[in-house]
Amino acid sequence: MVSDSIHSALACDDILTEILLHLPEKHVFKFILVSKKWLYLICDLPFRRCYEMQWGTHTRLFGFFVCNLLYIDRPQGGLRRPRYEPALPLLSTCKEGDDLMSSGFLRKLGYFIDYSDGLVLCGRHPKNYYVWNSVTKHRCLLPQPRKHYKCLCIAFITENRGEADGDMVYRIVRASCECKVDVINTISIETFSSMTWTWKQSTLVCSSDFSLSPWTVGTVIDQVIYWFGTYRSLAIYDPGFRERSINSIKLPVGQLTYDYEDSILGESSDGLLQYGQSGKMGLEIWILYKEQATVTDRYEYRWTLRHRLSSKEMSKQNPNSGIRTKEPQVLSFIYRNSESVFIRLGSNIYLCNIRSKTLAVIPYHCDGVCIPWDSCKVVPYFQKIWPYSPFPHPSNT
């Protein structure tokens, strides 16, 4: 009788789901071997979302994608990529990354552009774009954009999964970096939606005289896009706002980084935009706060310094890092993390803890490829750790 009641309970999806939600990841993942039904239940998006709300998102560092900016906007007769240099180098940090490099699949993806929620956007500007899922190994060729932009910046927005087939819903925004001044300032953009599978062109009104920084990638927080602009400015575009406009604010000026060389954007631990800049003297991290304006529906913005770390402090805490002779280059934030940042010293990549001022070297494998660091964008790729079911729902079979 007891065994029958247990079997009946486990046969109920609601009861089984409630049990699995209370188990740690290492146990849950073992249960995908019980049956196809258990596999589908654990891999299903509603369960994954409930599990991540309770236990947090589980990711691992897959490696660092590298894009050589010298080849992105190659003019006619300009610099060509040599055959021995891969279009999409990967600095692998795990076995799966090593296997991907040796498979030769990266040659089919073009250049790295951006990634969001595990999906990778790649291709060759300005016509061919792919969205690639490193978990399912599915590569999707997008239709060619309608507009040709000589110089552009881009943003990759993921939202949720479609109800029909479980695919990720995403949008890609291409923005022209040539701001034309007529009666008003305008910026032309083109947006692709995976729901409609089409590109749609529109025009944004600029709040001031500025232009976007070419060949940069936007940071997306709560569906709002933040782009670097020229002359130390930041552009803010909310696709959901009823007015088709784009705002511009000035970037902060720090004490250590008035001679800054590199800058990055990311999402802070409290869900705000954070801005990092590095130079010879060290690095600084700023947080952007926004407050509702009293008169209009728009926001007022202010920068607040969150962390400051000098090169002397890093050198003192990490005497064997070589920071005395090499200038630190800030590479990337970690998603929703305000205390750690990836930096480069020479050919070494470190995880820098801002509070403890310590550097932890990140071992990587690049298959003997020589990386021209000064002309490259290096982005860490975190792969979501969650099993994937190739089977349909048992009730549909």
Side-chain angles (χ1 to χ4, degrees), residues 87-215:
L88 182 51
L90 173 66
L91 310 181
S92 172
T93 58
C94 62
K95 181 182 181 301
E96 289 78 6
D98 294 342
D99 294 340
L100 179 62
M101 287 195 303
S102 60
S103 69
F105 183 78
L106 292 178
R107 299 191 188 98
K108 303 177 181 180
L109 299 178
Y111 298 104
F112 173 82
I113 299 175
D114 195 14
Y115 87 93
S116 177
D117 205 19
L119 297 182
V120 178
L121 175 64
C122 44
R124 288 179 170 83
H125 290 300
K127 292 183 178 180
N128 297 323
Y129 296 98
Y130 297 95
V131 172
W132 173 60
N133 189 322
S134 66
V135 176
T136 64
K137 303 297 187 295
H138 181 252
R139 180 191 63 159
C140 183
L141 174 64
L142 306 185
Q144 289 190 357
R146 299 176 180 177
K147 297 284 291 185
H148 175 78
Y149 298 138
K150 183 178 180 181
C151 294
L152 60 89
C153 57
I154 206 161
F156 189 29
I157 308 173
T158 53
E159 299 177 59
N160 48 39
R161 291 182 183 264
E163 297 178 358
D165 55 7
D167 288 338
M168 184 75 71
V169 174
Y170 53 86
R171 286 177 292 161
I172 299 168
V173 181
R174 303 167 71 246
S176 173
C177 293
E178 297 175 324
C179 189
K180 54 185 179 181
V181 179
D182 194 356
V183 179
I184 57 175
N185 292 339
T186 60
I187 288 181
S188 174
I189 69 167
E190 193 174 18
T191 303
F192 173 82
S193 170
S194 64
M195 297 293 288
T196 62
W197 207 248
T198 57
W199 292 91
K200 181 180 179 181
Q201 196 273 335
S202 56
T203 301
L204 304 181
V205 178
C206 309
S207 61
S208 59
D209 295 347
F210 80 102
S211 62
L212 299 172
S213 182
W215 310 116

Side-chain angles (χ1 to χ4, degrees), residues 17-36:
T17 296
E18 193 63 30
I19 294 173
L20 293 174
L21 286 175
H22 287 81
L23 299 178
E25 173 191 292
K26 62 179 180 180
H27 296 305
V28 171
F29 287 1
K30 290 180 181 179
F31 288 139
I32 64 176
L33 302 176
V34 173
S35 67
K36 290 183 179 180

